[in-house]
């Protein structure tokens, strides 16, 4: 409990934003522990192992935004296994990425975030009064729906014809046959 509250209040809107990067929560020791878990005491790894290091660091698949940032830094789409990644390059780059994300987050506090279209409630109310539409759909701003009511229609699915009623039971079929043959109860 206290470990979670020490990080400050969580912002569900920011956490589910498509622009959110979670790499800022890791410390240098986390980067080092993920390296040691996959590569051991080795001073360099190939890029196949590097993806395993990221999976270990994030305790699962790397989030899209974080992976995009990391792959841009390490040029993952250009690299091959013939050019290994050294531990010092890994640490320096991961620390740089984290510092860049923190710097961007601090600069973003002064302006509306990417998932927001208004800076204040009065701007939003004025827009509602004038019947202005949002510039982007919610699916373009968020990764997942924030409320249960947003789950309906979040992903386009092929609509199925509704099935009305239930199949007639054996007892009801028997009663229908009796009525049809003139035996009524």
């Amino acid at each position: 409990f206290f470990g979670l509250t020490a990080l400050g209040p969580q912002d569900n809107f920011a956490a589910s934003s498509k622009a959110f990067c979670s790499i800022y929560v890791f410390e240098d020791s986390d980067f080092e522990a993920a390296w040691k878990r996959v590569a051991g005491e080795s001073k360099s790894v190939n890029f196949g192992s590097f993806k395993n290091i990221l999976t270990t660091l994030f305790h699962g698949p790397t989030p899209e935004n974080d992976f995009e940032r990391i792959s841009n830094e390490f040029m993952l789409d250009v690299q091959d296994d013939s050019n290994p990644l050294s531990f010092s390059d890994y640490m320096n780059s991961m620390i740089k990425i984290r510092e860049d994300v923190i710097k961007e987050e601090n600069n973003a506090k002064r302006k509306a975030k990417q998932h927001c279209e208004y800076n204040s409630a009065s701007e939003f109310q004025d827009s509602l009064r004038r019947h202005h539409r949002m510039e982007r759909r919610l699916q373009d701003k968020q990764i997942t729906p924030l409320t249960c009511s947003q789950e309906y229609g979040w992903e386009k699915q092929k609509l199925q014809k509704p099935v009305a009623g239930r199949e007639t039971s054996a007892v009801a079929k028997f009663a229908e046959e009796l009525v049809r043959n003139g035996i009524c109860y």
Side-chain angles (χ1 to χ4, degrees):
F1 175 75
F2 292 107
L4 289 176
T5 56
L7 295 174
Q10 292 185 350
D11 183 358
N12 289 336
F13 291 103
S16 63
S17 169
K18 287 196 173 188
F20 180 71
C21 284
S22 59
I23 199 162
Y24 73 90
V25 300
F26 298 112
E27 297 177 3
D28 295 355
S29 59
D30 297 324
F31 297 139
E32 190 173 341
W35 178 280
K36 286 184 178 178
R37 189 162 199 180
V38 174
E41 295 300 320
S42 176
K43 294 295 180 191
S44 64
V45 295
N46 61 20
F47 280 88
S49 295
F50 177 66
K51 291 181 180 179
N52 292 338
I53 292 171
L54 292 178
T55 302
T56 303
L57 178 66
F58 285 97
H59 298 283
T62 309
E64 251 181 70
N65 292 326
D66 292 310
F67 185 75
E68 184 177 319
R69 229 176 236 279
I70 291 167
S71 63
N72 288 341
E73 179 69 26
F74 289 101
M75 294 183 288
L76 290 181
D77 50 346
V78 177
Q79 296 293 343
D80 58 356
D81 287 341
S82 64
N83 190 11
L85 173 68
S86 71
F87 176 71
S88 60
D89 289 342
Y90 161 76
M91 287 298 291
N92 292 336
S93 296
M94 295 302 276
I95 291 168
K96 180 184 176 293
I97 293 169
R98 181 186 61 208
E99 289 171 354
D100 289 346
V101 168
I102 291 171
K103 194 181 301 180
E104 287 174 16
E105 185 68 27
N106 290 337
N107 291 339
K109 287 182 180 177
R110 296 184 197 95
K111 59 183 179 180
K113 296 180 180 174
Q114 284 185 326
H115 57 275
C116 298
E117 294 193 24
Y118 304 102
N119 284 327
S120 67
S122 61
E123 283 181 36
F124 176 66
Q125 290 173 346
D126 185 46
S127 179
L128 285 178
R129 226 177 290 113
R130 296 171 189 242
H131 302 288
H132 287 237
R133 294 218 178 254
M134 298 275 189
E135 292 177 14
R136 295 174 288 159
R137 300 177 320 132
L138 192 59
Q139 291 89 335
D140 298 334
K141 296 185 270 185
Q142 305 288 347
I143 296 170
T144 59
L146 298 174
T147 63
C148 290
S149 64
Q150 292 174 348
E151 290 177 2
Y152 298 101
W154 188 265
E155 294 179 10
K156 290 191 175 192
Q157 299 172 348
K158 186 175 181 180
L159 298 176
Q160 297 177 353
K161 186 177 180 180
V163 179
R166 292 183 283 187
E167 189 176 321
T168 309
S169 68
V171 173
K173 287 179 183 176
F174 180 74
E176 285 177 7
E177 273 304 311
L178 289 175
V179 170
R180 201 174 294 136
N181 291 322
I183 303 172
C184 299
Y185 286 100

